[in-house]
Amino acid sequence: TKVDDNNGGDGVGAKSQNALSGFKTSNVLSVNAREKRIVLHGKVADEDAVVILEKTPFTEDTMDQVFKGSTLKLDMKNYIYSTYQLQASPHYNEIKTTLVCPATEKHISKYKHQESFFVEETKKDYETITLPFIEDQTTFSLEWVYNILQKKAEVERIVYEDPDPDTGFILLPDFKWNQKQVDDLYLIAIVHRMNIRSLRDLTAEHLPLLVNILQKGQMTILERYSLPSSKLRVYLHYQPSYYHLHVHFTKLGYDAPGCGVERAHLLSDVIQNLQSDPQYYKNRTMYFPLREEDKLLSKFKEAGRL
Amino acid sequence: TKVDDNNGGDGVGAKSQNALSGFKTSNVLSVNAREKRIVLHGKVADEDAVVILEKTPFTEDTMDQVFKGSTLKLDMKNYIYSTYQLQASPHYNEIKTTLVCPATEKHISKYKHQESFFVEETKKDYETITLPFIEDQTTFSLEWVYNILQKKAEVERIVYEDPDPDTGFILLPDFKWNQKQVDDLYLIAIVHRMNIRSLRDLTAEHLPLLVNILQKGQMTILERYSLPSSKLRVYLHYQPSYYHLHVHFTKLGYDAPGCGVERAHLLSDVIQNLQSDPQYYKNRTMYFPLREEDKLLSKFKEAGRL
């Protein structure tokens, strides 16, 4: 590794010179194939280090140079479609590199990827594995949810409230949304009813509640953020991250975390399924991912279901 | 642009040689900074062409080579954090390139960044709007699909085939996957049966086909890529991008484009729904996003359904 350090001054050059040339990878903490990023753990001169490499986005004005001086290798051709491997000049194809050194355990664990496993949960699995697990939880505190519903916290963040004890809910921004632009709009509707843990508890009895959330949520977002319902993805998670019924509203086109088919259930589909079969979510086999350190995953493993 | 073409035979080499060296960009159709992708519209020898460039994911086993022979430039240093620009050997830092040439208006508009709208399609909407639209299409050519099924193209890319005319399919890598790392594994199963347009056509009659695709697809991916079914997201799109039934296999944890709840339907859910209601997808109201220039969206607008 050669070092071409243009950033002179206070010994930074000399230090960086050795920084990555002496890097020895001990393990890969995570790989993000979609975003073209890899995070490595290793040593630099006997000190723990984390290196984050991420390929850079294309810039429109250098595209001509990318084509110039590049090498093309044909992979396949079918009809009007062909694919190639293009090797471009390194100068127009840089990799953004971040070094954390010395890195603590905390840095290492922050960047460590946890594998997920797809789990199949039959009606019986729910009754014998998941439900006892939920009922056993003191760790998954719902304190913060009750604070919202009882107006002990986040009062000023409430966007809309329907106070009806049966069909009412509070709509407020999700923590992940900074509310500065609607491009990544993310709101949560938390129901007032206290006895609905998740999708699994829903029956036709809850249709008025669900229809109310969908309609009033959409109406409020149209009025407040000028976003019509045709721009909204409205869904529930299963498994949810907390077991008090809540509904997610995110902007269509915003790739919100957790909106994948493996975990999200469109509220419109839920309503329709309950209309045609009042016990749909009671009887159904559900599929969802669990991360390797999730305690529920251990329960499925102990039961021989994975 | 030099061409290093290892893929010999029937003039493919000669054609590809000129393909990109003569490319003149007329405009940028889209840039995805998160995924490091750019799509250009331009001309190759007077013919309209679309070029898709996407940087490739990192592969763990070439990381040593990436560091070797690379050039580092320090950007900034603060406490234990430093950032650099790394210029790696082109050989270990390829760009996946797809050329569509000659490209039609449809291809150009497919890759152009566009707003999406959530559409509600009742059974009646399907019969009166969507089905006539599909049947009317000559532009959405299925030529390339038939080439695969008839072994006229991509033969060497086939990962598995079950030749049964009723329940058989061909499994092969999606265009988007370069097959170098399983982190972004993406395979497509294309069915041999010619008369199934989409999810909407499926009834209990197709259960043996669907179960066969799920089981043999999972088995093949386990054998070939050592990826168990608990690591796979297996789903169909509605609307699909072409109307010949196909199933997507992507790695769980890889945020594949099109795996969102608004468009993807888990094959396991599809099977289960058809088992409990043979006409589930015939009668159901479906929800899906359509991009603003999609002709199907115009049809929904004309019918007053948006």
Side-chain angles (χ1 to χ4, degrees):
Chain A
T1 305
K2 295 166 282 172
V3 174
D4 170 19
D5 182 6
N6 292 339
N7 194 331
D10 49 52
V12 165
K15 187 129 197 224
S16 75
Q17 182 125 22
N18 299 320
L20 279 179
S21 56
F23 184 76
K24 300 260 177 296
T25 305
S26 48
N27 60 310
V28 175
L29 295 176
S30 68
V31 183
N32 188 320
R34 185 167 181 195
E35 298 172 15
K36 286 74 183 178
R37 187 172 58 241
I38 193 167
V39 185
L40 306 171
H41 170 212
K43 296 262 186 194
V44 171
D46 280 339
E47 289 193 299
D48 268 303
V50 170
V51 176
I52 303 137
L53 297 164
E54 181 166 349
K55 301 203 178 179
T56 48
F58 287 100
T59 40
E60 307 187 10
D61 52 359
T62 61
M63 288 316 299
D64 282 351
Q65 284 92 332
V66 169
F67 286 123
K68 259 174 223 157
S70 68
T71 303
L72 260 194
K73 196 180 130 198
L74 183 67
D75 268 336
M76 78 90 202
K77 184 164 169 62
N78 174 358
Y79 184 49
I80 58 171
Y81 307 98
S82 8
T83 64
Y84 306 86
Q85 295 164 39
L86 187 149
Q87 297 185 359
S89 157
H91 184 60
Y92 295 108
N93 193 21
E94 286 180 340
I95 296 169
K96 187 176 191 325
T97 304
T98 305
L99 172 68
V100 184
C101 182
T104 65
E105 254 323 303
K106 200 143 191 165
H107 291 103
I108 295 162
S109 111
K110 173 181 172 185
Y111 288 107
K112 195 169 181 176
H113 171 73
Q114 282 189 40
E115 285 283 298
S116 287
F117 297 84
F118 225 177
V119 172
E120 180 184 81
E121 181 197 74
T122 61
K123 175 194 172 80
K124 184 161 166 278
D125 292 330
Y126 177 71
E127 288 160 1
T128 60
I129 305 171
T130 310
L131 188 56
F133 169 80
I134 300 170
E135 286 176 337
D136 221 39
Q137 285 195 27
T138 48
T139 43
F140 254 131
S141 171
L142 290 173
E143 200 60 37
W144 68 273
V145 175
Y146 302 148
N147 281 345
I148 291 171
L149 295 175
Q150 293 160 20
K151 312 287 173 64
K152 290 183 184 164
E154 301 191 50
V155 181
E156 70 295 341
R157 282 166 45 87
I158 294 176
V159 168
Y160 175 81
E161 177 173 16
D162 177 338
D164 189 286
D166 274 330
T167 61
F169 63 97
I170 284 181
L171 184 73
L172 79 178
D174 185 271
F175 287 148
K176 290 183 278 296
W177 186 38
N178 68 6
Q179 303 177 64
K180 292 208 174 134
Q181 59 289 313
V182 295
D183 304 286
D184 59 344
L185 175 136
Y186 200 144
L187 295 150
I188 298 281
I190 302 177
V191 306
H192 274 301
R193 275 184 67 166
M194 302 296 279
N195 53 349
I196 316 171
R197 280 169 292 240
S198 77
L199 201 52
R200 274 287 190 201
D201 284 338
L202 295 175
T203 64
E205 185 233 325
H206 303 99
L207 281 168
L209 167 64
L210 300 174
V211 170
N212 191 48
I213 293 172
L214 183 61
Q215 289 178 346
K216 296 211 176 117
Q218 288 175 335
M219 207 163 55
T220 303
I221 290 170
L222 175 61
E223 284 165 9
R224 174 86 169 242
Y225 305 102
S226 306
L227 218 56
S229 61
S230 64
K231 293 290 183 181
L232 289 179
R233 190 199 282 119
V234 188
Y235 54 99
L236 292 86
H237 279 159
Y238 192 77
Q239 301 287 333
S241 50
Y242 50 97
Y243 292 92
H244 178 107
L245 196 77
H246 58 283
V247 175
H248 305 253
F249 289 75
T250 60
K251 184 173 182 293
L252 190 68
Y254 164 54
D255 237 353
C259 75
V261 64
E262 66 271 29
R263 194 173 172 209
H265 298 260
L266 278 188
L267 180 55
S268 303
D269 282 339
V270 173
I271 290 171
Q272 195 175 179
N273 285 330
L274 292 174
Q275 281 166 343
S276 33
D277 174 2
Q279 300 293 309
Y280 188 93
Y281 292 100
K282 294 273 185 197
N283 296 326
R284 192 168 175 76
T285 295
M286 303 289 284
Y287 300 86
F288 48 82
L290 289 177
R291 284 156 47 109
E292 58 186 323
E293 289 180 16
D294 195 307
K295 291 196 173 65
L296 182 55
L297 184 70
S298 323
K299 300 285 178 195
F300 272 84
K301 281 181 177 164
E302 284 164 23
R305 292 290 290 123
L306 201 86
Chain B
T1 305
K2 294 165 285 175
V3 174
D4 168 19
D5 182 6
N6 291 340
N7 193 331
D10 49 50
V12 165
K15 191 132 195 222
S16 73
Q17 182 125 25
N18 299 320
L20 280 180
S21 56
F23 184 76
K24 299 259 178 298
T25 305
S26 48
N27 60 312
V28 175
L29 296 176
S30 66
V31 182
N32 188 321
R34 184 176 172 198
E35 299 173 15
K36 286 75 184 177
R37 187 172 58 242
I38 193 166
V39 185
L40 308 169
H41 171 212
K43 297 262 186 193
V44 172
D46 280 340
E47 287 192 301
D48 268 304
V50 170
V51 176
I52 304 135
L53 296 165
E54 182 166 347
K55 300 204 177 179
T56 48
F58 287 99
T59 40
E60 307 185 10
D61 52 359
T62 61
M63 288 316 298
D64 283 349
Q65 284 93 333
V66 169
F67 287 123
K68 261 174 221 157
S70 68
T71 303
L72 260 195
K73 197 179 129 198
L74 183 68
D75 269 336
M76 77 90 198
K77 183 163 170 59
N78 175 1
Y79 183 45
I80 58 172
Y81 307 98
S82 11
T83 65
Y84 305 86
Q85 294 166 39
L86 187 149
Q87 296 186 2
S89 157
H91 184 60
Y92 294 108
N93 192 22
E94 287 179 343
I95 296 169
K96 186 168 195 331
T97 305
T98 304
L99 172 69
V100 183
C101 182
T104 65
E105 257 319 306
K106 195 125 198 178
H107 292 102
I108 294 161
S109 117
K110 175 179 173 187
Y111 289 106
K112 199 171 180 176
H113 173 75
Q114 292 170 37
E115 286 283 299
S116 287
F117 298 84
F118 224 179
V119 172
E120 179 184 83
E121 180 198 73
T122 61
K123 175 192 170 81
K124 183 162 168 275
D125 293 330
Y126 177 72
E127 288 160 359
T128 59
I129 305 170
T130 311
L131 187 57
F133 169 79
I134 300 170
E135 286 176 338
D136 222 39
Q137 285 195 26
T138 48
T139 45
F140 253 131
S141 171
L142 290 174
E143 199 60 37
W144 67 275
V145 175
Y146 303 148
N147 281 346
I148 292 170
L149 295 175
Q150 294 159 18
K151 313 286 172 65
K152 290 183 183 163
E154 302 191 50
V155 181
E156 70 294 342
R157 284 166 43 87
I158 294 177
V159 168
Y160 175 81
E161 176 172 15
D162 176 338
D164 189 286
D166 273 329
T167 61
F169 64 96
I170 283 181
L171 184 72
L172 80 177
D174 185 90
F175 285 151
K176 289 182 278 299
W177 186 38
N178 70 5
Q179 303 176 65
K180 292 209 173 138
Q181 58 289 312
V182 295
D183 305 288
D184 61 340
L185 176 137
Y186 200 144
L187 294 151
I188 297 281
I190 302 177
V191 305
H192 274 301
R193 276 184 67 166
M194 303 296 278
N195 53 349
I196 315 171
R197 281 168 291 241
S198 77
L199 201 52
R200 273 286 191 203
D201 284 338
L202 295 176
T203 64
E205 185 232 325
H206 302 100
L207 281 167
L209 167 65
L210 300 174
V211 170
N212 191 47
I213 293 173
L214 183 60
Q215 289 178 347
K216 297 212 175 115
Q218 287 175 335
M219 207 162 56
T220 303
I221 290 170
L222 175 62
E223 284 166 9
R224 175 85 169 243
Y225 305 102
S226 307
L227 218 56
S229 61
S230 65
K231 293 289 182 181
L232 288 179
R233 189 198 283 118
V234 188
Y235 54 99
L236 293 87
H237 278 159
Y238 192 76
Q239 300 287 333
S241 52
Y242 50 97
Y243 293 91
H244 177 106
L245 195 77
H246 58 282
V247 175
H248 304 254
F249 289 76
T250 59
K251 183 171 183 292
L252 189 68
Y254 165 53
D255 236 353
C259 75
V261 63
E262 65 269 29
R263 194 173 172 208
H265 299 259
L266 279 188
L267 181 54
S268 301
D269 281 339
V270 172
I271 290 171
Q272 195 174 180
N273 285 330
L274 292 175
Q275 281 166 343
S276 34
D277 175 3
Q279 301 292 310
Y280 187 94
Y281 292 101
K282 293 273 186 199
N283 295 327
R284 191 166 176 78
T285 294
M286 303 288 284
Y287 300 86
F288 47 82
L290 288 177
R291 285 152 37 109
E292 59 185 321
E293 286 182 15
D294 195 308
K295 291 200 173 62
L296 183 54
L297 184 70
S298 323
K299 300 286 177 194
F300 272 83
K301 281 181 176 164
E302 283 164 24
R305 293 289 289 123
L306 202 85

